[in-house]
Amino acid sequence: MTTVAGLVPYLGGALAVGGVAVAATRRRELMVRWCVWALGVPLVTAAFWLGPPGIAVLAAVVGVVAVAEFGGLLRLGPVDRAVLGAAIAGLVLTAWLAPGEVLRVAAAGALAIAGVPLLSGDAEHGLRRLGAGLLGLVWLGVLAGLVSSGALGLVLFVAVSIADIVAYAAGRRLGGPRLSPLSPAKRWSGTLAGAAAGLLTLAVLSSLTWQTAVAVAVGGPLGDLLESMVKRGAHAKDAGRWLPGSGGILDRIDSLLVALAVLLVLA
């Protein structure tokens, strides 16, 4: 199993090769996207290097930002978003400080989320608000699993990211049947090529097991489709616009969330 320190040369090399390739294309949007990765990868790696405290802070911040984007997509009010954000941050911090209480905190978060539309007496939109809040708790609450994952969480993020990039490029070049009506641009050819690239990444990083293989090859694409379903329902192209060339946080961690959930279930 690769350590965080052992991942640094691979990540640095990947960024360098990617930078050369992007520069060769001379496409501004790709250069902007590479700059975002060049800033983000060292920050994420540093957080994992610090261990559970660093991962917990990173996951809590990412979770709160993701809640803001998720709430915008599903038209949740400020109180709904605040309660959901507090529930996600509470789950992450509990996973760090009191791992044995995670289920209890998750249950408390679900009750708090349910209480918002109930106490406001919202008969018209209450069910939608409740369903959206509970979906957010289950979906984004998976970030708490990163705290105990150590280097494997970073490896998983790298593997699903590479799988996403390869799937996008191969699908456009190879064409073929669509993966799902939820995402017309995605093709089975790209998904299979991306899965192969993800498994190869796991093997290179000495993290290939049947559990991690299923998480990357199956969980990653399902996570992408889940966010596509949410965005289609909201008639939105991206979850956010604040990451230049990359949309929002949800657009970057959608595959990771379900891949991590699959890994947690299998492990």
Side-chain angles (χ1 to χ4, degrees), residues 224-246:
D224 204 358
L225 289 179
L226 175 57
E227 199 209 3
S228 293
M229 181 177 69
V230 173
K231 290 191 295 187
R232 274 187 164 269
H235 305 290
K237 182 179 182 295
D238 295 313
R241 298 179 181 178
W242 64 281
L243 285 175
S246 300

Side-chain angles (χ1 to χ4, degrees), residues 191-201:
T191 300
L192 294 175
L199 297 185
L200 179 60
T201 302

Side-chain angles (χ1 to χ4, degrees), residues 52-64 67 84-99 101-102 105-106 137 139-148 257 260:
I55 299 172
V57 171
L58 173 67
V61 171
V62 168
V64 170
V67 164
L84 178 57
I88 298 300
L91 266 178
V92 171
L93 295 178
T94 301
W96 168 34
L97 300 171
E101 301 297 325
V102 166
V105 172
L137 180 64
W139 188 20
L140 303 179
V142 173
L143 286 167
L146 284 176
V147 177
S148 60
L257 288 171
L260 180 58

Side-chain angles (χ1 to χ4, degrees), residues 198-200 202-203 205-210 212-213:
L199 297 185
L200 179 60
L202 291 173
L205 298 178
S206 304
S207 301
L208 181 60
T209 64
W210 73 268
T212 57

Side-chain angles (χ1 to χ4, degrees), residues 7-257:
L7 282 172
V8 172
Y10 292 102
L11 295 174
L15 281 175
V17 171
V20 172
V22 166
T25 66
R26 297 184 179 181
R27 293 176 58 182
R28 183 179 181 277
E29 67 273 16
L30 293 180
M31 294 180 184
V32 171
R33 185 171 296 186
W34 181 86
C35 288
V36 172
W37 279 101
L39 290 173
V41 168
L43 290 175
V44 172
T45 304
F48 275 86
W49 196 311
L50 293 173
I55 299 172
V57 171
L58 173 67
V61 171
V62 168
V64 170
V65 174
V67 164
E69 296 175 353
F70 176 78
L73 288 172
L74 295 186
R75 304 185 307 280
L76 293 176
V79 177
D80 296 88
R81 298 189 202 190
V83 173
L84 178 57
I88 298 300
L91 266 178
V92 171
L93 295 178
T94 301
W96 168 34
L97 300 171
E101 301 297 325
V102 166
L103 290 179
R104 183 172 297 177
V105 172
L111 290 174
I113 288 168
V116 175
L118 290 176
L119 293 177
S120 66
D122 187 358
E124 184 177 359
H125 300 291
L127 186 58
R128 177 186 62 80
R129 293 166 60 190
L130 173 59
L134 293 179
L135 171 61
L137 180 64
V138 173
W139 188 20
L140 303 179
V142 173
L143 286 167
L146 284 176
V147 177
S148 60
S149 67
L152 184 58
L154 185 55
V155 168
L156 198 65
F157 177 64
V158 172
V160 297
S161 297
I162 290 176
D164 279 347
I165 294 169
V166 172
Y168 174 75
R172 293 190 63 181
R173 179 172 293 273
L174 299 176
R178 292 176 177 175
L179 177 63
S180 168
L182 291 172
S183 187
K186 292 180 175 60
R187 309 284 176 170
W188 273 104
S189 58
T191 300
L192 294 175
L199 297 185
L200 179 60
T201 302
L202 291 173
V204 169
L205 298 178
S206 304
S207 301
L208 181 60
T209 64
W210 73 268
Q211 294 97 331
T212 57
V214 173
V216 170
V218 178
L222 287 179
D224 204 358
L225 289 179
L226 175 57
E227 199 209 3
S228 293
M229 181 177 69
V230 173
K231 290 191 295 187
R232 274 187 164 269
H235 305 290
K237 182 179 182 295
D238 295 313
R241 298 179 181 178
W242 64 281
L243 285 175
S246 300
I249 281 287
L250 265 179
D251 299 309
R252 302 280 62 82
I253 65 171
D254 53 357
S255 296
L256 173 65
L257 288 171

